[in-house]
Amino acid sequence: MVTYKFHQYQVVGRALPSETDEHPKIYRMKLWATNEVRAKSKFWYFLRKLKKVKKSNGQMLAINEIFEKSPTKIKNYGIWLRYQSRTGYHNMYKEYRDTTLNGAVEQMYTEMASRHRVRHHCIQIIKTATIPAKLCKRESTKQFHNSKIKFPLVHRTVRPPTRKLKTTYKASRPNLFM
Amino acid sequence: PFKRYVEIGRVALVNYGKDYGQLVVIVDVIDQNRALVDAPDMVRCQMNFKRLSLTDITINIKRVPKKKTLIAAMEAADVKNKWENSSWGRKLIVQKRRASLNDFDRFKLMLAKIKRGGLIRQELAKLKKQNSF
């Protein structure tokens, strides 16, 4: 399969037990990060914003990677995000069609970077969900909800089958019709 | 103007990447650039349309069939024979054969070519003699 840059992790942590609080509440977060170290760091970042606990007075209980349950099934993903633009913070809801959630999240990051020039550290994913086809809001995902979908590939670029066979000059002009 | 469409059941040839040269069936369309693709001897996976060359062959399947249904539909449509008898399929088979020749085979090929050239020239000489009268 394609290697995904962003992995989904489940991170569980709590504050350290103290005399006032013998059994502090345990918090669990599902995050996207490129690796486990980053995931743990992100966890503390978000937890700091929600509760009065820092990495120095907290402990990590578990971190597990979450894998896609059905990677061969096409799903419509809705992603709610909060991003920082040059003028302030905005919320957004985006829809993607993909087979895995990691793939959809990666699509989201690349699309935000291209359409809004937002780098990935300025994006916070609020929520992700698999949307059933009836509830999709965006026309660009709804247009693929057609069991008899049919379209031609209009422009065919002829590519050499390996990068090794690439040449700068060709003897004849290519035929672009499929 | 267009004869080959991306549709569920279209057979395509992979023309780039790890599965180069394999015939696959488009079982669903993910979005504008990608399709979910399946073949009897591989796990169902997604592929970019840039890696696929559409063929003329289609099979009759519904969206995302089970592996067994897919194999049955491919047998019913006789994809293998249709492909091997099509001019495109035959060319690929010949290319593969040529690439897998060993030195002795190439020697035999050289002799066969010389023999064929000799026979052609004999016939040509006969025809020239007839026409010169």
Side-chain angles (χ1 to χ4, degrees):
Chain A
M1 264 314 315
V2 199
T3 45
Y4 293 113
K5 208 156 92 139
F6 291 96
H7 300 266
Q8 189 182 14
Y9 294 98
Q10 170 191 263
V11 190
V12 183
R14 67 168 190 176
L16 286 169
S18 63
E19 305 89 42
T20 48
D21 192 357
E22 286 293 311
H23 299 285
K25 253 208 173 89
I26 304 182
Y27 296 102
R28 177 185 88 122
M29 263 195 94
K30 287 200 216 169
L31 319 152
W32 272 268
T34 40
N35 53 33
E36 287 189 1
V37 176
R38 285 212 167 138
K40 287 193 263 187
S41 170
K42 265 267 166 75
F43 171 77
W44 289 121
Y45 168 76
F46 284 120
L47 208 55
R48 262 203 327 263
K49 298 206 170 296
L50 299 169
K51 301 285 161 194
K52 196 92 158 98
V53 62
K54 296 156 84 159
K55 183 171 174 208
S56 51
N57 50 18
Q59 58 187 181
M60 189 70 59
L61 296 172
I63 170 164
N64 308 97
E65 184 163 357
I66 300 178
F67 297 100
E68 182 66 34
K69 196 137 155 240
S70 48
T72 54
K73 184 158 164 270
I74 300 176
K75 300 171 270 283
N76 309 296
Y77 291 101
I79 302 185
W80 285 260
L81 44 126
R82 176 177 183 252
Y83 74 98
Q84 183 181 23
S85 71
R86 292 176 192 149
T87 36
Y89 283 89
H90 307 273
N91 294 333
M92 232 186 214
Y93 165 70
K94 286 188 155 291
E95 276 181 12
Y96 297 100
R97 246 174 95 77
D98 203 322
T99 49
T100 64
L101 186 44
N102 289 347
V105 162
E106 191 160 343
Q107 263 186 296
M108 182 274 292
Y109 276 116
T110 52
E111 192 179 343
M112 290 300 290
S114 66
R115 292 225 154 104
H116 305 281
R117 305 299 197 242
V118 176
R119 278 86 196 172
H120 90 277
H121 51 82
C122 296
I123 294 177
Q124 299 176 0
I125 299 178
I126 302 171
K127 178 173 141 178
T128 61
T130 5
I131 316 273
K134 263 200 302 274
L135 304 174
C136 281
K137 282 171 47 175
R138 306 287 186 245
E139 274 307 317
S140 57
T141 48
K142 286 189 351 192
Q143 71 183 341
F144 291 101
H145 293 154
N146 175 7
S147 67
K148 295 192 187 41
I149 192 164
K150 179 171 161 169
F151 54 89
L153 293 178
V154 170
H155 182 95
R156 179 192 50 171
T157 44
V158 187
R159 284 203 295 187
T162 54
R163 298 274 323 263
K164 223 183 194 150
L165 301 167
K166 191 170 85 146
T167 56
T168 334
Y169 300 102
K170 299 272 179 208
S172 51
R173 304 194 86 195
N175 175 20
L176 299 173
F177 186 71
M178 270 300 293
Chain B
F2 292 106
K3 292 207 203 72
R4 297 176 184 164
Y5 291 86
V6 167
E7 51 194 335
I8 295 175
R10 171 71 58 179
V11 173
L13 186 70
V14 179
N15 61 20
Y16 190 93
K18 193 166 64 85
D19 303 313
Y20 178 71
Q22 236 198 354
L23 278 183
V24 291
V25 180
I26 296 177
V27 293
D28 203 354
V29 170
I30 300 177
D31 62 19
Q32 201 191 4
N33 301 323
R34 292 176 296 162
L36 201 55
V37 126
D38 206 356
D41 58 344
M42 80 180 202
V43 180
R44 194 189 300 154
C45 72
Q46 64 176 359
M47 268 197 184
N48 198 315
F49 288 126
K50 292 186 178 184
R51 292 196 174 196
L52 299 174
S53 302
L54 304 181
T55 65
D56 288 323
I57 311 173
T58 47
I59 66 180
N60 190 4
I61 51 173
K62 294 222 163 22
R63 216 177 66 88
V64 193
K66 290 206 193 328
K67 209 49 168 239
K68 272 201 305 209
T69 342
L70 178 70
I71 296 182
M74 284 185 90
E75 295 293 315
D78 208 12
V79 169
K80 202 160 180 313
N81 283 337
K82 270 203 220 156
W83 177 245
E84 281 166 12
N85 296 337
S86 71
S87 52
W88 188 356
R90 272 182 286 145
K91 270 190 282 185
L92 286 190
I93 292 176
V94 169
Q95 277 177 9
K96 250 196 236 152
R97 182 86 181 88
R98 288 207 181 131
S100 67
L101 291 175
N102 63 29
D103 190 56
F104 185 45
D105 288 328
R106 272 173 275 151
F107 178 72
K108 286 190 276 183
L109 186 68
M110 174 187 77
L111 294 183
K113 273 191 180 171
I114 291 173
K115 193 166 189 178
R116 184 178 81 159
L119 286 173
I120 291 177
R121 245 168 294 175
Q122 273 184 339
E123 293 297 314
L124 187 62
K126 276 195 226 157
L127 286 173
K128 272 202 213 163
K129 234 174 154 183
Q130 282 179 350
N131 283 351
S132 69
F133 279 115

